[in-house]
Amino acid sequence: MQRLGPWSREAWTVLALHLLRSSRSPNTGGLFFHCVQGGLVQSSAREFAEARMKTQLELNKEKSSFVIKTPKGTRDLSPQQMAIREKILNAVINCFKCHGAKGIDTPVFELKEILTEKYGEESRLIYELKDQGGELLALRYDLTVPFARYLAMNKIKKMKRYHVGKVWRRESPSIIQGRYREFCQCDFDIAGQFDPMIPDAECLKIIHEILSTLQLGDFLIKVNDRRVVDGMFAVCGVPDNKFRFICASVDKLGKMSWKDVRQEMTGKIGLTPDVADQIGDYIQQCGGVSLVEQLLQDPKLSQNKQALEGLKDLKLLFEYLTLFGIAEKISFDLSLARGLDYYTGVIYEAVLLQSPTQQGEEALGVGSVAAGGRYDGLVGMFDPKGRKVPCVGLSIGVERIFSIVEQRMEVGPLIRATKKIQTTETQVLVATAQKNFLRERMKLIAELWDAGIRAEMLYKKNPSFLTQLHYCEETGIPLVAIIGEQELKDGVIKLRSVASRKEVDIKREDIVTEIQRRMSES
Amino acid sequence: MQRLGPWSREAWTVLALHLLRSSRSPNTGGLFFHCVQGGLVQSSAREFAEARMKTQLELNKEKSSFVIKTPKGTRDLSPQQMAIREKILNAVINCFKCHGAKGIDTPVFELKEILTEKYGEESRLIYELKDQGGELLALRYDLTVPFARYLAMNKIKKMKRYHVGKVWRRESPSIIQGRYREFCQCDFDIAGQFDPMIPDAECLKIIHEILSTLQLGDFLIKVNDRRVVDGMFAVCGVPDNKFRFICASVDKLGKMSWKDVRQEMTGKIGLTPDVADQIGDYIQQCGGVSLVEQLLQDPKLSQNKQALEGLKDLKLLFEYLTLFGIAEKISFDLSLARGLDYYTGVIYEAVLLQSPTQQGEEALGVGSVAAGGRYDGLVGMFDPKGRKVPCVGLSIGVERIFSIVEQRMEVGPLIRATKKIQTTETQVLVATAQKNFLRERMKLIAELWDAGIRAEMLYKKNPSFLTQLHYCEETGIPLVAIIGEQELKDGVIKLRSVASRKEVDIKREDIVTEIQRRMSES
């Protein structure tokens, strides 16, 4: 046996698959190969056959112990969760429409090349599809890059659009923080060449409106500018090739202490302690427009062209935010860096502030519930001639918002007791108290359905009357339309209110109108 | 040079990648390897370096000729398409809710094993994800298997649910027929042990309601039973191991002539001509309940236990469909086979009938717009103890419906002229006729947004008044709220109707109420 390794894990996987599938090993002149942990083994035919059988047995073993579940980091949504989601998504979409946005949709996967070199360090989190003999594909990582691709492909120079859809990231899932590998994003973006900071201010206004409408508690929107970040790194003496790593490091401030962030900068990334400390002096500052003005006077930063432009724009932005009446919720925060490669100007991130009274929610953590920024170069990356379309946008972290609302509904004893989450909207149950009335129930319910009334019946030939009433109570159906021998003879339907237990006979031809009347009253 | 191939394409891809990424080739004792077409080559260090450079150049070449597009068989949806979709989906979901269904959602991908052995011949169309060092995953092929997995995983014995979501199939895309590799499905299913044919009849009623509501023209719902299909194959003498292939063949009748289907059966699949002709005699029949009764007397078919059960259930089904008032649109069609492995009872498929007057639509083709059936064994396949939950359901082929409606809107000259598809819902544009009024526009629009009014403004410091009016006409905004020096002095806003060009001054404090009043009137 001659050992030929070590190779990468990928190469081994494919070789193992190949060996399993082929009836014989890949061979030349009677040589056989098979895989053992960490190496390719040149083997005899018998050795190969044994190795193959062993692999097959292991595969079978895996299969029999197969546990039924959703993929790691993903989950199903129950009718209760869907009902909550529907309300939240409707509020978010309504706000986007309020600002004149149009909806679009894009495929969930893109050509792999479209996603390459857009996300910096986070590219490794992209899900790729298997090469099944066609194009190389990958699941979208966000809705921003597909939007930029859409604009470039259709040569659109100006557009205000929203997009609600799922995105996928191979992150370590943290269910307690409401972080999943599959999650929903709600994006709003403004593309086009406009006067500075007007669309940018509108994006912040939208975040403010949505977080206010959803009543999630107090929040803060951190704002910075990518040019200020880069300028700051430059004047502190960070080498160009380390910007990306330092960016990611800076983003951790808040989750980690400055001491630990500094450790990372001087350790793994290899900054000198002096450079790290200069960065530290900047990024530990946050404030309002006065901090912007102070930094405009900063002897080092004001000498950097990029930083100066960023600071001037931030000053204008604060003026517009004051006109929109939302400046008090905005914090200029030099530690906000946003690691994605495509940002070029203003960046922002909204966080919920933990209110001290809601201690039951502490376990959920806070963190970002909305984020975004300006990306003026992304569309140009897709255009064959590099023509740029400036863009600014935002993404609502609805998944975290869902978690918060769901947890409140579970925790909040008042809400729980008084208001069960309604998952169906059925208005009336077609029922009978007698045997052999299936056919009559069917005729009646078809009349109701045809009139657009939300109706159900039990799928039993002869259900007990009590079972039918219980079903109404369980599922919150308010009315029962009862048919029996007497009703049939009299040409009426008995209409019963589940809550009051009152029953009245309604003429068959008036039943639709009567149900509609009762529903419009309630 | 010692040649070690041939290996599979997959193995080569991974090896090539590995060689590219590693600064040296995988080697033992100074041996180098590199890839040439069809073989692994043991090479010198120089040979390896040359091969590596060549591969790199080829990769670069590929990159520069890269065309920006969506993946094969997929597409973006424009705001116009999204507006049409929203209306259709709302109608479909409304009907599902009318029948008491709850919404759920599942991840777009499942563990690969979940999807294996559920779709028969069509399994090869499943998209798999790349093995990135975790679970093996695949994109869902339909919403039925994920629903069955959901029921089994949560031990749910009874549920009426709907699910709207995308599914993926690696089919040859046919854009002209509205067939894509990524498409939306709208499913409704009833799970639980009930009296025979009651939920089945409701599924057909729902298909009937949706197709009637959407006014797509005349349609027909073909019905059959999987037990009748299997019984028919058995009495005709089809060998067990050929059922699956014959099923797929039979499904082609309608798209292909009987002569061609027979050719396939006796050729590729290898039936004797006699067996094929016996099948032919059955599957060329269709009709109403009288055909069911006739086949109940069929000397061969009535001797087959399975077929007999199927026919008896179909007879009951027709009775219920008559009670629901929809029997006239139902055709018992022996050529309907539905190739998917999981069906066990009643199966159905709705097709649009080409009306002779709408010849402009001919190119679009007709085909299935809804389908479904009973699958009593699927949930049991996921339960560790094999416990069954009988299910019946339907899937609306909304994608084809979207295509039809889109084409009608393009073709229909009346609709086109009178009714432009509205993609935004903006009610008012905040405008000015003077310079330096950006700040005042911003203050005013924030007031409107905060009151929930759908408002836009142009993102220019000093847009011309004409440009602002043009924008309203282009996008269908009905009102303009104008602010200028005089208005500011008088404490009013000038409200202009775009259609009538009439302008009136409204007190600033009344502007919200006035816009709301006008919008509720229109």
Side-chain angles (χ1 to χ4, degrees):
Chain A
M1 282 195 1
Q2 191 196 350
R3 206 181 150 92
L4 303 173
W7 284 4
S8 76
R9 192 163 177 275
E10 266 169 338
W12 286 124
T13 310
V14 167
L15 280 170
L17 274 173
H18 177 77
L19 291 169
L20 257 175
R21 278 181 199 155
S22 61
S23 58
R24 57 197 179 76
S25 73
N27 69 77
T28 317
L31 289 180
F32 288 84
F33 293 87
H34 71 264
C35 303
V36 295
Q37 198 130 33
L40 179 69
V41 171
Q42 195 174 342
S43 59
S44 72
R46 201 185 56 82
E47 277 173 329
F48 168 68
E50 272 171 16
R52 186 162 180 261
M53 188 175 292
K54 205 177 144 204
T55 322
Q56 188 64 60
L57 280 173
E58 272 163 19
L59 279 185
N60 286 348
K61 209 171 121 194
E62 264 174 40
K63 206 171 171 179
S64 70
S65 69
F66 175 65
V67 177
I68 181 163
K69 62 189 274 298
T70 60
K72 189 178 171 191
T74 69
R75 57 171 172 172
D76 297 318
L77 297 174
S78 69
Q80 286 76 17
Q81 289 172 313
M82 287 297 281
I84 294 172
R85 248 158 214 255
E86 206 175 298
K87 281 193 190 121
I88 293 172
L89 286 181
N90 283 346
V92 170
I93 292 170
N94 183 57
C95 177
F96 292 161
K97 287 185 173 173
C98 228
H99 288 259
K102 304 171 178 188
I104 68 159
D105 192 38
T106 67
V108 301
F109 43 68
E110 296 277 346
L111 296 181
K112 198 182 143 186
E113 284 96 332
I114 299 277
L115 305 187
T116 315
E117 286 165 30
K118 308 295 183 304
Y119 300 106
E121 278 302 286
E122 296 189 18
S123 288
R124 71 199 149 77
L125 303 180
I126 293 173
Y127 275 98
E128 293 179 28
L129 270 76
K130 191 171 149 184
D131 180 3
Q132 290 172 293
E135 300 157 329
L136 292 180
L137 307 172
L139 293 182
R140 64 185 175 209
Y141 178 88
D142 62 12
L143 302 176
T144 310
V145 169
F147 175 54
R149 195 261 309 140
Y150 178 88
L151 293 175
M153 195 173 124
N154 297 291
K155 299 188 173 50
I156 296 168
K157 296 280 166 218
K158 206 191 270 191
M159 182 177 206
K160 196 152 54 171
R161 82 91 180 77
Y162 74 88
H163 188 179
V164 174
K166 287 178 175 182
V167 301
W168 295 268
R169 298 180 187 179
R170 296 176 58 251
E171 276 178 294
S172 352
S174 159
I175 276 102
I176 200 144
Q177 295 197 335
R179 192 167 73 225
Y180 289 88
R181 289 183 162 196
E182 172 182 78
F183 58 98
C184 179
Q185 280 198 335
C186 298
D187 277 26
F188 171 99
D189 292 80
I190 301 171
Q193 183 68 58
F194 302 111
D195 282 324
M197 294 297 114
I198 309 179
D200 313 58
E202 182 166 350
C203 287
L204 289 164
K205 176 79 172 94
I206 290 174
I207 294 177
H208 189 280
E209 277 176 26
I210 290 174
L211 296 182
S212 306
T213 304
L214 294 177
Q215 297 182 293
L216 301 169
D218 204 10
F219 60 88
L220 189 73
I221 309 177
K222 299 179 191 173
V223 172
N224 198 359
D225 192 295
R226 199 55 179 264
R227 292 163 295 175
V228 176
V229 176
D230 286 351
M232 174 181 77
F233 290 163
V235 302
C236 293
V238 177
D240 279 8
N241 62 358
K242 287 186 177 158
F243 271 33
R244 195 187 262 192
F245 305 104
I246 293 298
C247 225
S249 240
V250 166
D251 256 341
K252 291 176 191 160
L253 197 70
K255 286 162 219 149
M256 271 159 65
S257 70
W258 163 241
K259 203 182 138 204
D260 292 339
V261 172
R262 187 180 183 279
Q263 178 68 43
E264 192 176 277
M265 288 180 174
T266 55
K268 210 170 66 185
I269 307 176
L271 284 194
T272 65
D274 170 55
V275 171
D277 286 333
Q278 284 188 56
I279 297 174
D281 287 346
Y282 281 117
I283 67 173
Q284 285 172 281
Q285 295 182 61
C286 63
V289 69
S290 58
L291 179 58
V292 180
E293 276 155 2
Q294 183 192 316
L295 289 177
L296 276 168
Q297 307 304 324
D298 183 273
K300 280 192 300 179
L301 216 48
S302 61
Q303 295 311 304
N304 182 287
K305 194 172 161 262
Q306 265 200 306
L308 195 64
E309 279 174 14
L311 288 167
K312 280 181 183 166
D313 273 350
L314 281 172
K315 198 181 162 194
L316 184 61
L317 179 69
F318 264 100
E319 191 190 330
Y320 292 161
L321 298 176
T322 306
L323 292 166
F324 281 162
I326 60 167
E328 63 176 37
K329 295 275 190 209
I330 314 287
S331 164
F332 172 38
D333 190 325
L334 280 157
S335 75
L336 180 70
R338 303 226 14 95
L340 299 181
D341 272 10
Y342 52 64
Y343 288 118
T344 56
V346 171
I347 47 179
Y348 32 82
E349 189 172 286
V351 291
L352 295 186
L353 301 173
Q354 197 77 53
S355 70
T357 52
Q358 291 166 318
Q359 290 189 345
E361 283 166 38
E362 210 128 44
L364 198 67
V366 276
S368 160
V369 287
R374 176 163 284 282
Y375 49 102
D376 288 348
L378 192 55
V379 179
M381 287 175 79
F382 294 119
D383 188 276
K385 290 178 186 164
R387 281 167 296 208
K388 287 188 175 180
V389 178
C391 292
V392 63
L394 64 97
S395 183
I396 302 291
V398 276
E399 215 69 40
R400 210 163 278 185
I401 296 173
F402 296 147
S403 297
I404 293 165
V405 175
E406 274 166 28
Q407 195 179 329
R408 280 207 191 147
M409 297 197 87
E410 277 162 28
V411 170
L414 269 172
I415 296 167
R416 198 186 192 177
T418 55
K419 213 177 158 185
K420 206 173 151 186
I421 305 162
Q422 198 80 24
T423 56
T424 59
E425 300 170 24
T426 310
Q427 299 163 333
V428 58
L429 186 82
V430 172
T432 185
Q434 283 156 308
K435 291 221 164 175
N436 298 320
F437 264 78
L438 172 64
R439 279 154 187 80
E440 287 304 327
R441 280 190 289 144
M442 287 182 113
K443 271 161 71 181
L444 176 58
I445 200 167
E447 283 172 36
L448 301 183
W449 284 332
D450 290 341
I453 286 172
R454 306 191 163 198
E456 286 187 73
M457 57 177 265
L458 296 197
Y459 303 128
K460 292 259 158 203
K461 274 193 223 165
N462 296 308
S464 87
F465 192 57
L466 211 62
T467 309
Q468 294 171 86
L469 292 185
H470 274 167
Y471 184 78
C472 293
E473 276 162 15
E474 263 168 44
T475 57
I477 301 176
L479 294 173
V480 196
I482 304 162
I483 187 157
E485 249 172 83
Q486 194 59 46
E487 287 81 14
L488 207 57
K489 216 175 103 189
D490 299 347
V492 297
I493 303 294
K494 205 180 280 302
L495 195 60
R496 177 186 170 112
S497 152
V498 175
S500 71
R501 298 178 186 189
K502 268 187 202 155
E503 293 179 351
V504 277
D505 283 353
I506 310 286
K507 273 196 212 154
R508 176 92 179 216
E509 57 268 34
D510 298 336
I511 188 73
V512 165
T513 329
E514 177 62 18
I515 292 171
Q516 282 166 340
R517 194 187 62 77
R518 297 238 197 153
M519 294 316 300
S520 67
E521 272 177 7
S522 64
Chain B
M1 283 196 357
Q2 192 197 348
R3 207 182 148 92
L4 302 175
W7 283 4
S8 74
R9 191 165 176 273
E10 267 169 337
W12 286 125
T13 311
V14 166
L15 279 170
L17 274 173
H18 176 78
L19 291 170
L20 258 173
R21 278 181 199 155
S22 61
S23 56
R24 54 196 183 79
S25 72
N27 70 76
T28 318
L31 291 181
F32 287 83
F33 294 88
H34 72 265
C35 302
V36 294
Q37 199 131 32
L40 181 68
V41 171
Q42 196 172 341
S43 59
S44 72
R46 202 185 54 83
E47 280 173 325
F48 168 69
E50 274 170 16
R52 187 161 179 261
M53 190 174 293
K54 206 179 142 204
T55 321
Q56 187 65 58
L57 281 173
E58 272 162 19
L59 279 184
N60 286 348
K61 210 171 119 194
E62 263 175 42
K63 207 172 171 180
S64 71
S65 69
F66 174 65
V67 177
I68 182 162
K69 62 188 275 295
T70 61
K72 188 177 173 191
T74 68
R75 57 171 172 171
D76 296 318
L77 297 174
S78 69
Q80 286 76 16
Q81 290 173 314
M82 288 296 282
I84 294 172
R85 246 156 217 255
E86 204 175 301
K87 280 193 190 120
I88 294 172
L89 286 181
N90 283 345
V92 171
I93 291 170
N94 182 56
C95 178
F96 291 161
K97 286 185 174 174
C98 228
H99 288 259
K102 305 170 180 188
I104 69 159
D105 190 38
T106 67
V108 300
F109 44 65
E110 295 277 347
L111 296 181
K112 197 182 144 188
E113 284 96 332
I114 298 279
L115 305 186
T116 315
E117 286 165 30
K118 308 296 185 303
Y119 300 104
E121 277 303 285
E122 297 190 18
S123 289
R124 73 200 147 77
L125 303 179
I126 294 173
Y127 276 98
E128 292 179 29
L129 270 78
K130 190 171 150 185
D131 180 3
Q132 290 171 293
E135 300 156 330
L136 292 179
L137 307 173
L139 293 183
R140 65 187 174 207
Y141 179 88
D142 63 12
L143 303 176
T144 309
V145 169
F147 176 52
R149 194 262 309 141
Y150 177 87
L151 293 174
M153 196 174 123
N154 298 291
K155 300 189 172 53
I156 295 169
K157 296 281 165 217
K158 205 189 270 192
M159 183 176 206
K160 197 152 50 171
R161 83 90 180 77
Y162 74 89
H163 188 179
V164 174
K166 287 178 173 179
V167 302
W168 295 268
R169 298 180 187 179
R170 297 177 57 251
E171 276 179 294
S172 349
S174 160
I175 276 102
I176 199 144
Q177 295 197 335
R179 192 167 71 225
Y180 289 87
R181 288 183 164 197
E182 171 182 78
F183 57 98
C184 178
Q185 280 200 334
C186 299
D187 278 27
F188 171 99
D189 292 80
I190 301 171
Q193 183 68 57
F194 302 112
D195 281 325
M197 294 300 113
I198 310 177
D200 312 59
E202 182 166 351
C203 287
L204 289 163
K205 176 80 171 93
I206 290 174
I207 292 177
H208 190 281
E209 278 176 25
I210 289 174
L211 296 182
S212 307
T213 305
L214 294 177
Q215 297 182 294
L216 301 169
D218 205 10
F219 61 89
L220 189 72
I221 309 176
K222 299 180 191 172
V223 172
N224 198 359
D225 192 294
R226 198 56 178 264
R227 290 165 296 176
V228 176
V229 176
D230 286 351
M232 176 181 76
F233 290 163
V235 303
C236 293
V238 178
D240 279 7
N241 61 356
K242 287 184 177 158
F243 272 32
R244 197 187 259 192
F245 305 104
I246 294 297
C247 225
S249 241
V250 166
D251 257 340
K252 292 176 191 160
L253 197 71
K255 285 162 222 152
M256 272 160 64
S257 70
W258 163 240
K259 202 182 139 204
D260 291 339
V261 172
R262 186 180 182 279
Q263 180 68 43
E264 190 177 280
M265 286 179 174
T266 54
K268 209 171 66 184
I269 307 177
L271 282 195
T272 65
D274 170 56
V275 172
D277 287 332
Q278 284 188 55
I279 297 175
D281 288 345
Y282 281 116
I283 66 173
Q284 288 172 280
Q285 295 180 63
C286 63
V289 68
S290 58
L291 179 59
V292 180
E293 275 155 3
Q294 183 192 315
L295 289 178
L296 275 167
Q297 307 302 324
D298 183 272
K300 281 193 298 181
L301 216 47
S302 61
Q303 295 311 304
N304 181 288
K305 194 173 162 260
Q306 265 200 304
L308 194 64
E309 278 173 15
L311 288 166
K312 280 182 184 165
D313 272 350
L314 282 172
K315 198 181 161 194
L316 185 61
L317 179 68
F318 265 100
E319 192 190 331
Y320 293 161
L321 298 176
T322 307
L323 292 166
F324 281 161
I326 61 167
E328 65 176 36
K329 294 276 189 212
I330 314 287
S331 164
F332 171 40
D333 189 324
L334 280 157
S335 75
L336 179 70
R338 307 238 353 106
L340 300 182
D341 272 10
Y342 52 65
Y343 288 119
T344 55
V346 172
I347 47 180
Y348 32 82
E349 189 171 286
V351 291
L352 294 186
L353 302 173
Q354 196 78 51
S355 72
T357 52
Q358 291 165 316
Q359 290 188 346
E361 285 167 36
E362 209 126 44
L364 198 69
V366 274
S368 161
V369 286
R374 176 162 284 283
Y375 49 101
D376 288 348
L378 191 55
V379 179
M381 286 174 80
F382 294 118
D383 188 278
K385 290 179 185 162
R387 281 165 297 206
K388 287 187 178 182
V389 178
C391 292
V392 63
L394 64 97
S395 184
I396 303 292
V398 276
E399 214 69 40
R400 210 163 278 184
I401 296 173
F402 295 147
S403 297
I404 294 164
V405 175
E406 274 166 28
Q407 196 178 331
R408 280 206 191 147
M409 298 196 87
E410 277 162 28
V411 170
L414 269 172
I415 294 168
R416 200 185 191 177
T418 55
K419 215 177 156 184
K420 205 171 150 188
I421 305 163
Q422 197 80 23
T423 56
T424 58
E425 300 169 25
T426 309
Q427 300 162 334
V428 58
L429 185 82
V430 173
T432 186
Q434 284 155 307
K435 290 219 164 177
N436 299 319
F437 266 77
L438 172 64
R439 281 156 186 78
E440 286 304 327
R441 281 191 289 142
M442 287 182 113
K443 270 161 72 179
L444 176 57
I445 201 168
E447 282 172 36
L448 300 182
W449 284 333
D450 290 341
I453 287 172
R454 305 189 164 200
E456 286 186 73
M457 57 178 265
L458 295 196
Y459 303 128
K460 292 258 158 204
K461 272 193 222 164
N462 297 310
S464 87
F465 192 55
L466 210 62
T467 308
Q468 294 172 86
L469 291 184
H470 276 167
Y471 184 78
C472 291
E473 274 161 16
E474 263 169 44
T475 57
I477 301 177
L479 295 173
V480 197
I482 304 161
I483 188 156
E485 250 173 81
Q486 193 60 44
E487 287 81 15
L488 206 58
K489 214 175 105 191
D490 300 346
V492 298
I493 303 294
K494 205 180 279 303
L495 195 62
R496 177 186 171 112
S497 153
V498 175
S500 71
R501 299 178 187 190
K502 269 190 200 150
E503 293 181 351
V504 277
D505 283 353
I506 309 287
K507 274 196 212 151
R508 175 90 179 218
E509 58 267 34
D510 297 337
I511 187 72
V512 165
T513 329
E514 177 61 19
I515 293 171
Q516 283 166 342
R517 193 187 63 76
R518 297 237 197 153
M519 294 317 299
S520 67
E521 271 175 8
S522 64

